[in-house]
Amino acid sequence: MSTDAGTSWAPAVAAYGLAGARLDLPRGPLSDDEWRRLIEEVQGQHVPGLLVRAAEDAAFPVTPEQRQEARDAHRSSMWVALALERTLLGAAQVLTAHEVDHRVLKGPALAHLAYPEPADRSFADVDLLVPSHSFDAAVAALATAGVHRRSAQLRPDFDRRFAKGVTLITPDGYEIDLHRTFAAGPFGMWVDLDELFTTSSAFGLAGVPLLGLGPEERFLHACYHAAIGDAVPRLVSVRDVAQLLLRTELDLGRVSQLARTWKAEAVVARAVSLAWATFQLVDDVPLSAWALSYRANPTEVRALNVYVGEGRRYTDKAVAGLWAVPGLRSKASYARALLVPDRSARPGPPERARRLLRAATAVGRLRLRA
Amino acid sequence: METVLWRRSLEGMLLLLPLDRARPIEMTGSAAALWESLATPVSMAEAAGMLGDAHGTSADAILADVQPLLEEMSRLGVVMEVP
């Protein structure tokens, strides 16, 4: 049986195993074209494991060839995950040797802490969080292992004080995102960063103990990533939100308290609403009922607008971050770094002119809205 | 085993990546079952016994097959002999 050419089965695959998801899987094997499209989609959306699980459970009907293709796609993603976990271990060991506290974020932590089998959760990079005060030390420590920055720091101290983080490249070409906070711009600046290191969740890789965020912080980070991380969130990010909320134990009182303190209620509401809409979840839980009825206030709407939609730009987030930087002197340092970065961080003249123009127009727009 | 990263695929295949090797190793069937049974150290006879139980045969009957399999795993760096 085939379906309309426009139908995407990827959301139903990404919802597989979630009780209460109303998305139907196909009733018969897909046509060759539909199948090829689906394989590409599930790889790009990091959910090949869920496709294989659905096929092995006979919930997603497949031909023998399709079953093998799904297994092959999943095996490729597991190879990548293993190579990234080795990169993660190397980085974590360097940070530990230099006495830099750290937490494993996103893919590797979620695979081992939130899903029944790590194979269910694919990922494509390594994310680590370090405290602000250790940020420069962490970058320097990793440099001793041949890990280099993809781009220069805007000004000395900028990363440690204001940045979301920095992307590092290992000698074998893998990416490590070293985070200071969860997002660029205002929502990232409102997170109580010290709080993130007061709790943890332990897991191990190859006998090496590692720490992820505590359960509630992990859930909130998943919300930031799904709600304001990408212009169009990956299905796996949306699944993470539902998975953590429905399949792990959370102290919802603490979730609410942290979200309030971090001015992130609109982020949580958006992420949970997105998960409920994407997977057509019918089982309301207290947080989903709250999220679906949440109305963002004008300040939250203004902050969200710089993150969401296809037209969003880094410049808008960076300029909007100015609201959230505390103190006039810090605001001045932040603005100066954006407008007059160090020579090493400056792009060539035409690009620089474009960026300055963008920053100037973004400031103008914000003033007009204020 | 420590020093090995691994994944169990949903159809029962094991992918193993020893930290000092460039490429992962794939295991299926009895080899995968044997490797998983070695999470805690056991003697060769105990390993043969566990595998025999899983396949409804005696440890003695498969001991001769288990030994070369363990030697190969040791050569690949995914198991280690402990005193």
Side-chain angles (χ1 to χ4, degrees):
Chain A
M1 174 188 154
S2 67
T3 59
D4 296 341
T7 303
S8 170
W9 296 104
V13 168
Y16 185 67
L18 283 176
R22 262 190 320 197
L23 295 175
D24 290 329
L25 290 165
R27 292 185 188 160
L30 302 183
S31 67
D32 289 349
D33 282 351
E34 286 175 312
W35 177 256
R36 208 168 302 116
R37 208 166 53 233
L38 177 66
I39 285 286
E40 280 176 17
E41 261 190 294
V42 298
Q43 285 180 298
Q45 300 291 330
H46 297 174
V47 291
L50 296 173
L51 175 60
V52 172
R53 190 176 280 282
E56 298 297 327
D57 291 348
F60 195 122
V62 289
T63 65
E65 294 76 21
Q66 290 173 346
R67 180 186 306 280
Q68 193 54 49
E69 280 184 59
R71 287 176 172 179
D72 290 346
H74 186 216
R75 189 168 57 210
S76 298
S77 82
M78 288 192 291
W79 282 27
V80 171
L82 290 177
L84 289 167
E85 285 182 353
R86 178 159 58 190
T87 300
L88 165 63
L89 278 181
Q93 283 170 337
V94 168
L95 294 176
T96 301
H98 287 78
E99 299 182 342
V100 175
D101 200 2
H102 54 277
R103 296 287 184 272
V104 182
L105 301 178
K106 292 163 63 171
L110 291 164
H112 290 273
L113 291 167
Y115 286 81
E117 283 285 338
D120 287 340
R121 176 59 162 88
S122 300
F123 47 90
D125 61 5
V126 167
D127 295 84
L128 284 162
L129 179 81
V130 295
S132 298
H133 62 82
S134 304
F135 198 86
D136 293 340
V139 173
L142 291 167
T144 65
V147 178
H148 65 275
R149 303 174 64 109
R150 197 169 63 182
S151 55
Q153 184 168 209
L154 287 179
R155 292 190 79 87
D157 271 358
F158 182 86
D159 289 349
R160 181 179 66 77
R161 296 175 68 191
F162 305 120
K164 172 191 176 188
V166 59
T167 299
L168 305 169
I169 309 293
T170 67
D172 47 4
Y174 290 106
E175 259 186 27
I176 299 174
D177 286 336
L178 193 69
H179 292 247
R180 190 186 71 90
T181 183
F182 291 166
F187 284 118
M189 293 192 180
W190 288 328
V191 178
D192 180 347
L193 300 177
D194 292 336
E195 179 104 36
L196 299 177
F197 291 89
T198 60
T199 59
S200 62
S201 305
F203 66 103
L205 291 179
V208 178
L210 294 166
L211 295 178
L213 295 170
E216 290 78 29
E217 289 85 350
R218 188 165 60 248
F219 170 70
L220 288 167
H221 184 212
C223 289
Y224 280 80
H225 192 53
I228 58 173
D230 293 316
V232 179
R234 280 203 174 92
L235 287 170
V236 76
S237 305
V238 183
R239 168 67 188 240
D240 288 340
V241 172
Q243 181 77 16
L244 288 165
L245 185 53
L246 296 175
R247 305 290 288 272
T248 63
E249 283 195 19
L250 291 174
D251 176 346
L252 293 180
R254 186 155 185 274
V255 166
S256 298
Q257 177 251 317
L258 290 174
R260 251 193 324 274
T261 308
W262 300 352
K263 301 182 186 174
E265 288 172 302
V267 173
V268 177
R270 179 175 161 76
V272 173
S273 300
L274 197 60
W276 254 248
T278 303
F279 302 137
Q280 295 183 25
L281 291 164
V282 290
D283 289 351
D284 275 352
V285 295
L287 199 65
S288 68
W290 166 84
L292 294 170
S293 63
Y294 188 81
R295 293 289 169 267
N297 65 39
T299 304
E300 291 171 325
V301 170
R302 195 170 53 163
L304 279 175
N305 281 343
V306 300
Y307 291 91
V308 301
E310 298 284 0
R312 73 192 198 141
R313 290 181 310 221
Y314 175 79
T315 318
D316 292 345
K317 273 186 275 185
V319 172
L322 201 55
W323 314 334
V325 173
L328 276 177
R329 290 183 69 173
S330 292
K331 281 185 199 296
S333 300
Y334 180 79
R336 183 174 176 224
L338 293 182
L339 292 167
V340 195
D342 267 1
R343 187 172 295 276
S344 59
R346 286 181 201 172
E351 175 59 15
R352 184 164 176 246
R354 269 197 297 275
R355 285 195 193 173
L356 277 172
L357 189 61
R358 272 189 228 138
T361 52
V363 169
R365 275 206 305 275
L366 288 169
R367 279 193 186 139
L368 284 172
R369 286 181 194 157
Chain B
M1 183 185 126
E2 298 189 0
T3 76
V4 178
L5 292 161
W6 62 284
R7 282 285 189 285
R8 184 193 302 110
S9 78
L10 304 171
E11 71 275 17
M13 178 193 286
L14 282 182
L15 279 112
L16 308 176
L17 180 62
L19 294 179
D20 57 356
R21 282 181 74 100
R23 294 180 61 78
I25 299 155
E26 293 179 4
M27 283 186 192
T28 54
S30 299
L34 178 61
W35 189 84
E36 287 212 77
S37 75
L38 300 175
T40 52
V42 294
S43 69
M44 203 173 293
E46 287 170 323
M50 285 190 282
L51 209 54
D53 287 346
H55 289 82
T57 184
S58 73
D60 289 345
I62 58 170
L63 190 56
D65 296 323
V66 167
Q67 186 165 353
L69 198 52
L70 285 173
E71 284 169 0
E72 178 65 5
M73 287 184 187
S74 177
R75 190 187 65 75
L76 292 169
V78 297
V79 300
M80 65 168 73
E81 205 169 324
V82 292

